[in-house]
Amino acid sequence: MPEEEAFGILVQLLKKYDIREQFTPQMDLLLLRLYQFDGLLHDHLPHIHRHFNEQGIRSNMYASQWFLTLFAYKFPLEMVYRIYDTLFAEGVNCLFRIGLALLAKNQANILSLDFDHLVTYLKDDMLAVYNDNVLDLLHEARKMTIHKKRLEKLSKDFQIENTKADNEACIIAKLTLKRKELIRVHDENDALQQKTKELKQVIERIPGTIESSVQSDMHQLCEKNQTLTHQNARLQDQVADMESMLIEIKLKYAHSESEREVLKQRLTELKKWMNSTL
């Protein structure tokens, strides 16, 4: 096939067959088709559906690659060509029938496996039951009946659940923000309580600190007063000694003055006597 024709087919797949929406960042269409496939699995293969639920297997674990690659990820090229022919002739809904037929063919093996083995089996081993006659899968798929109304009902249910999930996610996001705000307020409250406790402890220590400081100052003043008292006593003793010395000096001076007067008088008398004798 020329490259131009191959590119044209790719464009038709993306637009006319609505494959493009499976590859958007949100993958909304892929999620819708997985939801629809899960509903169809419940309708056509209830035992497998129940077993998957019991084992925790979800359709996105194994069926995503079916819809994203149109079964080209693992299937033989001859089989892929036939699937593409069927897709162009019947539309995307044929992918649901092929997936259901593939699971139905492997039902016995699927029901015997647990989670760990199921994941590997669903991805890699389901074609083994055909023994290289994989074209039988298309014949079995044609026997599967899928009603358009059922797909529409599943689509509406998906929209309702998706809206509900979005609302719940919005509520959860708001609650998360509220919770973070409450945690922040609680932390701030704890911090304030801790600061209040520390301030109370500081306030309680203030009287003791002041009393200790006053006692220390009083002790220093007492020691200083005692020192000054001793110094004052010594000064008073020194003053008393000096006063005694002064009195003694005055007495000595007075006595010397008296003797001086006596001597002076005697000298005068002596002079008079000498003058009288001459």
Side-chain angles (χ1 to χ4, degrees):
M1 179 183 293
E3 293 182 358
E4 294 81 1
E5 293 182 5
F7 181 75
I9 291 175
L10 175 62
V11 172
Q12 291 300 314
L13 280 173
L14 294 176
K15 292 185 176 180
K16 183 176 180 180
Y17 295 92
D18 205 18
I19 301 297
R20 179 179 178 276
E21 296 302 320
Q22 293 184 165
F23 299 95
T24 58
Q26 292 76 23
M27 292 186 170
D28 292 333
L29 183 58
L30 176 63
L31 295 176
L32 169 60
R33 285 175 176 162
L34 291 174
Y35 182 87
Q36 290 173 319
F37 184 79
D38 195 56
L40 295 173
L41 181 64
H42 177 271
D43 297 340
H44 292 269
L45 301 169
H47 297 297
I48 292 180
H49 185 270
R50 182 171 59 253
H51 184 63
F52 280 173
N53 285 338
E54 291 173 352
Q55 296 299 321
I57 298 294
R58 300 291 178 264
S59 56
N60 63 317
M61 295 180 180
Y62 62 91
S64 296
Q65 54 196 358
W66 296 351
F67 293 100
L68 289 174
T69 68
L70 307 179
F71 290 94
Y73 77 101
K74 193 77 174 179
F75 285 46
L77 283 178
E78 182 182 0
M79 182 65 178
V80 174
Y81 295 153
R82 297 296 297 274
I83 291 175
Y84 275 52
D85 290 341
T86 305
L87 173 65
F88 291 135
E90 301 178 10
V92 177
N93 290 348
C94 71
L95 301 177
F96 294 118
R97 295 200 305 272
I98 294 171
L100 291 173
L102 186 60
L103 291 175
K105 185 71 172 180
N106 288 272
Q107 179 167 278
N109 292 332
I110 289 173
L111 295 178
S112 66
L113 298 174
D114 59 12
F115 176 85
D116 293 332
H117 296 91
L118 267 175
V119 174
T120 302
Y121 185 84
L122 291 171
K123 289 183 177 180
D124 302 326
D125 301 329
M126 286 201 294
L127 290 178
V129 296
Y130 289 98
N131 296 320
D132 297 329
N133 296 318
V134 291
L135 293 180
D136 292 343
L137 174 59
L138 291 178
H139 298 298
E140 295 168 357
R142 291 192 182 96
K143 299 176 183 179
M144 294 286 179
T145 302
I146 298 177
H147 298 287
K148 183 178 179 181
K149 289 185 178 180
R150 176 57 175 157
L151 289 176
E152 291 175 352
K153 175 66 167 54
L154 289 170
S155 179
K156 290 180 180 179
D157 292 343
F158 174 77
Q159 296 299 332
I160 292 173
E161 290 192 13
N162 205 30
T163 301
K164 182 180 178 181
D166 290 341
N167 292 336
E168 290 177 352
C170 183
I171 293 173
I172 291 173
K174 290 181 179 179
L175 290 175
T176 301
L177 290 175
K178 289 290 185 182
R179 183 174 179 274
K180 290 181 179 179
E181 181 67 17
L182 288 174
I183 291 174
R184 184 185 65 80
V185 172
H186 184 268
D187 291 341
E188 290 180 355
N189 186 48
D190 288 344
L192 289 174
Q193 288 181 352
Q194 182 64 28
K195 288 183 179 179
T196 302
K197 183 178 179 181
E198 292 174 356
L199 287 173
K200 285 183 178 179
Q201 292 175 350
V202 171
I203 293 172
E204 290 173 356
R205 287 197 299 267
I206 287 176
T209 303
I210 294 175
E211 183 178 356
S212 176
S213 177
V214 170
Q215 289 179 351
S216 177
D217 292 342
M218 288 294 294
H219 180 70
Q220 292 178 0
L221 289 173
C222 288
E223 289 182 347
K224 189 173 182 180
N225 182 60
Q226 187 176 5
T227 301
L228 291 174
T229 300
H230 292 323
Q231 291 178 352
N232 185 54
R234 286 198 300 271
L235 289 173
Q236 287 179 351
D237 291 341
Q238 291 176 0
V239 169
D241 292 341
M242 292 180 69
E243 287 179 348
S244 297
M245 290 176 62
L246 181 60
I247 292 171
E248 185 178 352
I249 291 171
K250 285 182 177 181
L251 289 174
K252 288 182 179 181
Y253 177 77
H255 185 266
S256 62
E257 283 292 321
S258 177
E259 289 181 348
R260 180 174 172 276
E261 288 296 328
V262 171
L263 290 173
K264 185 178 179 181
Q265 185 177 1
R266 287 180 179 180
L267 180 61
T268 302
E269 290 176 354
L270 180 60
K271 286 180 177 181
K272 287 179 179 181
W273 180 77
M274 289 179 66
N275 290 329
S276 63
T277 57
L278 294 175

